[in-house]
Amino acid sequence: MSPHVLILGGTTEARRLAADLAVRPGVRVTTSLAGRVSRPGALDGEVRIGGFGGAEGLADWLRTHDVDAVVDATHPFAESITAHAAHAATATDIPAVVLRRPGWRPGPGDRWDDVESLAAAATALPGLGRRVFLTTGRLGLAAFAHLADLHFLVRSVEPPEPPLPPDTEVVLARGPFGLADETELLRAHRVEVLVTKDSGGEATAAKLTAARELGLPVVVVRRPRLPDGVTAVPDVAGVLDRLGFSGP
């Protein structure tokens, strides 16, 4: 029987992994998307959209669809699905791998303020600047909704839902973003402080370089910890090696 790999997707790395596995003879690959983006890009292999109904629902799906391995390649801040995947893999005794691109690290000249949550980021902002570039995604903006004295420039792939801060300007865009464009955006909107999650990767890293070059402070929300006993690999090659698919 052909091995069946379930990828919990939504990231660039998940897309790359699906493309790699889909062309391997005898390998069946299914990518599951949460459905939060209305028009996801094309994916190789099979695709399912929507939740599983928690850890038990995911475990049932793994059994019903004869899954041989699970790869959690969700966003580093998708804390719930990561916990559910770890639980379901243990319950079904199915091998599981977490794929997480490395986080960002500050370099010389960076003015970073590391915080543990969006709420902590909101607490830090009043002392850092009045014009805020908020790039934490469209979910979780309620944490900043009480900051009526600040101007927020919010960038997300799709329109955010309320509650939002009273003084909010929305820019709809999908990365990757280049350094020249990020620098121009910060200057045009007279941004005084940047807020971001530690998503890692190159697609949206240019904003950090632009902030450094302009001398702007950056509030970085740290990633949630992985569940106990769960470790991550940093790239597609590491996943393939763990699954025994390394090599051409």
Side-chain angles (χ1 to χ4, degrees), residues 179-232:
L179 176 58
D181 290 335
E182 295 290 66
T183 302
E184 174 59 26
L185 182 70
L186 294 175
R187 284 176 171 160
H189 291 271
R190 294 177 288 120
V191 170
E192 298 172 356
V193 56
L194 167 67
V195 181
T196 185
K197 291 179 177 179
D198 180 17
S199 300
E202 296 299 322
T204 60
K207 63 191 174 189
L208 299 172
T209 304
R212 179 196 311 135
E213 293 182 353
L214 294 174
L216 302 181
V218 180
V219 179
V220 181
V221 181
R222 289 192 291 267
R223 297 178 176 186
R225 293 183 179 181
L226 290 170
D228 290 342
V230 175
T231 58

Coordinates of all heavy atoms in Angstrom, one line a residue, residues 179-232:
L179 N 13.0 45.0 0.4 CA 13.5 46.0 1.4 C 13.2 47.4 0.9 O 12.8 48.2 1.7 CB 15.1 45.9 1.5 CG 15.8 46.9 2.3 CD1 15.2 46.9 3.8 CD2 17.3 46.7 2.3
A180 N 13.3 47.7 -0.4 CA 13.0 49.0 -0.9 C 11.5 49.4 -0.6 O 11.2 50.5 -0.2 CB 13.3 49.2 -2.4
D181 N 10.6 48.4 -0.9 CA 9.2 48.7 -0.7 C 8.9 48.8 0.8 O 8.1 49.7 1.2 CB 8.4 47.5 -1.2 CG 8.4 47.4 -2.7 OD1 8.6 48.5 -3.3 OD2 8.2 46.3 -3.3
E182 N 9.5 48.0 1.7 CA 9.3 48.2 3.1 C 9.8 49.5 3.7 O 9.1 50.1 4.5 CB 9.9 47.0 3.9 CG 9.4 45.6 3.5 CD 8.0 45.4 4.1 OE1 7.0 46.1 3.6 OE2 7.8 44.6 5.0
T183 N 10.9 49.9 3.2 CA 11.5 51.2 3.6 C 10.5 52.3 3.2 O 10.3 53.2 4.0 CB 12.9 51.4 3.0 OG1 13.7 50.3 3.5 CG2 13.5 52.7 3.5
E184 N 10.1 52.3 2.0 CA 9.2 53.3 1.5 C 7.9 53.3 2.3 O 7.3 54.4 2.6 CB 8.9 53.1 0.0 CG 7.9 54.1 -0.6 CD 8.2 55.5 -0.5 OE1 9.5 55.8 -0.4 OE2 7.3 56.4 -0.4
L185 N 7.3 52.2 2.6 CA 6.1 52.1 3.3 C 6.3 52.7 4.7 O 5.4 53.5 5.2 CB 5.7 50.6 3.5 CG 4.4 50.4 4.2 CD1 3.2 50.8 3.4 CD2 4.2 48.9 4.6
L186 N 7.4 52.4 5.4 CA 7.6 53.0 6.7 C 7.7 54.5 6.7 O 7.2 55.2 7.5 CB 8.9 52.3 7.3 CG 8.8 50.8 7.7 CD1 10.1 50.3 8.1 CD2 7.7 50.5 8.7
R187 N 8.4 55.0 5.7 CA 8.6 56.4 5.5 C 7.3 57.1 5.2 O 7.0 58.1 5.7 CB 9.7 56.7 4.5 CG 11.1 56.4 5.0 CD 12.1 56.6 3.8 NE 13.5 56.6 4.3 CZ 14.5 56.4 3.6 NH1 14.4 56.1 2.3 NH2 15.7 56.4 4.1
A188 N 6.6 56.5 4.2 CA 5.4 57.2 3.7 C 4.3 57.3 4.8 O 3.6 58.3 4.9 CB 4.8 56.4 2.5
H189 N 4.3 56.3 5.7 CA 3.3 56.3 6.8 C 3.8 56.9 8.1 O 3.2 56.8 9.1 CB 2.7 54.9 7.0 CG 1.9 54.5 5.8 ND1 0.5 54.7 5.8 CD2 2.2 53.8 4.7 CE1 0.0 54.2 4.7 NE2 1.0 53.6 4.0
R190 N 5.1 57.4 8.0 CA 5.7 58.0 9.2 C 5.6 57.0 10.4 O 5.3 57.5 11.5 CB 5.1 59.3 9.5 CG 5.3 60.4 8.4 CD 4.7 61.7 8.7 NE 3.2 61.6 8.5 CZ 2.3 61.9 9.5 NH1 2.7 62.2 10.7 NH2 1.0 61.8 9.2
V191 N 6.0 55.8 10.2 CA 5.9 54.8 11.2 C 7.0 55.0 12.3 O 8.1 55.4 11.9 CB 6.1 53.4 10.6 CG1 6.3 52.3 11.7 CG2 4.9 53.0 9.7
E192 N 6.6 54.9 13.5 CA 7.5 55.1 14.6 C 7.9 53.8 15.4 O 8.9 53.8 16.1 CB 6.9 56.1 15.6 CG 6.7 57.5 15.0 CD 5.9 58.4 15.9 OE1 5.5 57.9 17.0 OE2 5.7 59.6 15.6
V193 N 7.1 52.8 15.2 CA 7.4 51.5 15.9 C 6.8 50.4 15.1 O 5.6 50.5 14.6 CB 6.9 51.5 17.4 CG1 5.5 51.8 17.5 CG2 7.2 50.2 18.0
L194 N 7.4 49.3 15.0 CA 7.0 48.1 14.3 C 6.6 47.0 15.3 O 7.4 46.8 16.3 CB 8.0 47.6 13.3 CG 7.9 46.2 12.7 CD1 6.7 46.1 11.8 CD2 9.2 45.8 12.0
V195 N 5.5 46.3 15.1 CA 5.1 45.2 15.9 C 5.0 43.9 15.0 O 4.3 44.0 14.0 CB 3.8 45.4 16.6 CG1 3.5 44.2 17.5 CG2 3.9 46.6 17.5
T196 N 5.6 42.8 15.3 CA 5.5 41.6 14.5 C 5.6 40.4 15.4 O 6.1 40.4 16.5 CB 6.7 41.6 13.5 OG1 6.5 40.5 12.6 CG2 8.1 41.5 14.2
K197 N 5.1 39.3 14.9 CA 5.3 38.0 15.5 C 6.6 37.4 14.9 O 7.0 37.7 13.8 CB 4.2 37.1 15.2 CG 2.9 37.4 15.9 CD 1.8 36.4 15.5 CE 0.5 36.7 16.2 NZ -0.6 35.7 15.7
D198 N 7.3 36.6 15.7 CA 8.5 35.9 15.2 C 8.1 34.8 14.3 O 8.3 33.6 14.6 CB 9.4 35.4 16.4 CG 10.6 34.7 15.9 OD1 11.0 34.9 14.8 OD2 11.2 34.0 16.8
S199 N 7.7 35.1 13.1 CA 7.3 34.1 12.1 C 8.5 33.4 11.5 O 8.4 32.3 11.0 CB 6.4 34.8 11.0 OG 5.3 35.3 11.6
G200 N 9.6 34.1 11.4 CA 10.8 33.6 10.7 C 10.6 33.6 9.2 O 9.6 34.0 8.7
G201 N 11.6 33.1 8.5 CA 11.6 33.1 7.1 C 12.0 34.4 6.4 O 12.1 35.4 7.1
E202 N 12.1 34.3 5.1 CA 12.6 35.5 4.3 C 11.5 36.3 3.7 O 11.7 37.5 3.4 CB 13.5 35.0 3.2 CG 14.8 34.3 3.6 CD 15.6 35.2 4.5 OE1 15.7 36.4 4.1 OE2 16.2 34.8 5.4
A203 N 10.3 35.8 3.6 CA 9.2 36.4 2.9 C 8.8 37.8 3.5 O 8.5 38.7 2.8 CB 7.9 35.6 2.8
T204 N 8.9 37.9 4.8 CA 8.5 39.2 5.5 C 9.6 39.7 6.4 O 9.4 40.6 7.2 CB 7.2 38.9 6.3 OG1 7.5 38.0 7.3 CG2 6.1 38.5 5.5
A205 N 10.8 39.3 6.2 CA 11.9 39.7 7.0 C 12.5 41.1 6.6 O 13.1 41.7 7.5 CB 13.1 38.7 6.9
A206 N 12.2 41.5 5.4 CA 12.7 42.8 5.0 C 12.3 44.0 5.9 O 13.0 45.0 6.0 CB 12.4 43.1 3.5
K207 N 11.1 43.9 6.5 CA 10.6 45.0 7.3 C 11.5 45.2 8.5 O 11.7 46.3 9.0 CB 9.2 44.6 7.8 CG 9.1 43.4 8.7 CD 7.7 43.0 8.9 CE 7.6 41.6 9.6 NZ 6.2 41.1 9.7
L208 N 12.1 44.1 9.0 CA 13.1 44.2 10.1 C 14.3 44.9 9.7 O 14.8 45.7 10.5 CB 13.4 42.8 10.6 CG 12.2 42.0 11.1 CD1 12.7 40.5 11.4 CD2 11.6 42.6 12.4
T209 N 14.8 44.6 8.5 CA 16.0 45.4 8.0 C 15.7 46.8 7.8 O 16.5 47.7 8.2 CB 16.5 44.7 6.7 OG1 16.7 43.4 6.9 CG2 17.7 45.4 6.2
A210 N 14.5 47.1 7.3 CA 14.1 48.5 7.0 C 14.0 49.2 8.4 O 14.4 50.4 8.5 CB 12.7 48.5 6.3
A211 N 13.4 48.6 9.4 CA 13.3 49.2 10.7 C 14.6 49.5 11.3 O 14.9 50.6 11.9 CB 12.5 48.3 11.6
R212 N 15.6 48.6 11.1 CA 16.9 48.8 11.6 C 17.6 50.0 11.0 O 18.2 50.8 11.6 CB 17.8 47.5 11.4 CG 19.2 47.7 11.9 CD 20.1 46.6 11.3 NE 19.5 45.3 11.5 CZ 19.5 44.4 10.5 NH1 20.0 44.6 9.3 NH2 18.9 43.2 10.7
E213 N 17.5 50.0 9.6 CA 18.1 51.1 8.9 C 17.5 52.5 9.2 O 18.2 53.5 9.1 CB 18.1 50.8 7.4 CG 18.9 49.6 7.0 CD 18.9 49.3 5.5 OE1 18.1 50.0 4.8 OE2 19.6 48.5 5.0
L214 N 16.2 52.5 9.6 CA 15.6 53.7 9.9 C 15.7 54.0 11.4 O 15.2 55.1 11.9 CB 14.1 53.7 9.5 CG 13.9 53.7 8.0 CD1 12.4 53.5 7.7 CD2 14.4 54.9 7.3
G215 N 16.3 53.1 12.2 CA 16.4 53.3 13.6 C 15.2 53.2 14.4 O 15.0 53.8 15.5
L216 N 14.2 52.4 13.9 CA 12.9 52.2 14.6 C 13.0 51.1 15.6 O 13.6 50.0 15.3 CB 11.8 51.9 13.6 CG 11.6 53.0 12.5 CD1 10.5 52.6 11.6 CD2 11.4 54.4 13.1
P217 N 12.3 51.2 16.7 CA 12.1 50.1 17.7 C 11.2 49.1 17.1 O 10.2 49.4 16.3 CB 11.6 50.7 18.9 CG 10.8 52.0 18.4 CD 11.6 52.4 17.2
V218 N 11.4 47.8 17.4 CA 10.6 46.7 17.0 C 10.1 45.9 18.2 O 11.0 45.4 19.0 CB 11.3 45.8 16.0 CG1 10.5 44.6 15.5 CG2 11.9 46.6 14.8
V219 N 8.8 45.6 18.3 CA 8.3 44.8 19.3 C 8.1 43.4 18.7 O 7.3 43.3 17.7 CB 7.0 45.3 19.9 CG1 6.4 44.3 21.0 CG2 7.2 46.7 20.5
V220 N 8.8 42.4 19.2 CA 8.7 41.0 18.6 C 8.0 40.1 19.6 O 8.5 39.9 20.7 CB 10.1 40.5 18.3 CG1 10.0 39.1 17.7 CG2 10.8 41.5 17.4
V221 N 6.9 39.5 19.2 CA 6.2 38.5 20.0 C 6.8 37.2 19.8 O 6.9 36.7 18.7 CB 4.7 38.5 19.6 CG1 3.9 37.5 20.5 CG2 4.0 39.8 19.7
R222 N 7.3 36.6 20.9 CA 8.0 35.3 20.8 C 7.0 34.2 20.5 O 5.8 34.3 20.8 CB 8.7 35.0 22.2 CG 9.9 35.9 22.4 CD 10.7 35.4 23.6 NE 9.9 35.5 24.9 CZ 10.0 36.6 25.7 NH1 10.9 37.6 25.3 NH2 9.4 36.7 26.8
R223 N 7.6 33.1 19.9 CA 6.8 32.0 19.5 C 6.3 31.2 20.8 O 7.0 31.2 21.8 CB 7.6 31.0 18.7 CG 8.0 31.6 17.3 CD 8.8 30.6 16.6 NE 9.2 31.1 15.3 CZ 9.8 30.4 14.3 NH1 10.2 29.1 14.6 NH2 10.1 30.9 13.2
P224 N 5.1 30.6 20.7 CA 4.7 29.7 21.8 C 5.6 28.5 21.9 O 6.1 28.1 20.8 CB 3.3 29.4 21.5 CG 3.1 29.6 20.0 CD 4.1 30.7 19.7
R225 N 5.8 27.9 23.0 CA 6.6 26.7 23.1 C 5.9 25.5 22.5 O 4.7 25.4 22.5 CB 6.9 26.5 24.6 CG 7.8 27.5 25.3 CD 8.1 27.1 26.7 NE 8.9 28.1 27.4 CZ 9.4 28.0 28.6 NH1 9.0 26.9 29.3 NH2 10.2 28.9 29.1
L226 N 6.7 24.6 22.0 CA 6.1 23.4 21.5 C 5.7 22.5 22.7 O 6.2 22.6 23.8 CB 7.2 22.6 20.7 CG 7.6 23.3 19.4 CD1 8.8 22.5 18.8 CD2 6.4 23.2 18.4
P227 N 4.7 21.6 22.4 CA 4.3 20.7 23.5 C 5.4 19.9 24.0 O 6.4 19.6 23.3 CB 3.2 19.8 22.8 CG 2.7 20.7 21.6 CD 3.9 21.4 21.2
D228 N 5.3 19.5 25.3 CA 6.3 18.6 25.9 C 6.6 17.4 25.0 O 5.7 16.7 24.5 CB 5.9 18.2 27.3 CG 5.9 19.3 28.3 OD1 6.5 20.4 28.0 OD2 5.2 19.2 29.3
G229 N 7.9 17.1 24.8 CA 8.3 15.9 24.1 C 8.3 16.1 22.6 O 8.7 15.2 21.9
V230 N 7.9 17.3 22.1 CA 7.9 17.6 20.7 C 9.1 18.4 20.3 O 9.4 19.5 20.9 CB 6.6 18.3 20.3 CG1 6.6 18.7 18.8 CG2 5.3 17.4 20.6
T231 N 9.8 18.0 19.3 CA 10.9 18.8 18.7 C 10.6 19.1 17.2 O 9.7 18.5 16.6 CB 12.2 18.0 18.8 OG1 12.1 16.8 18.1 CG2 12.6 17.8 20.3
A232 N 11.3 20.1 16.7 CA 11.0 20.6 15.4 C 12.2 20.4 14.5 O 13.4 20.5 15.0 CB 10.5 22.0 15.4

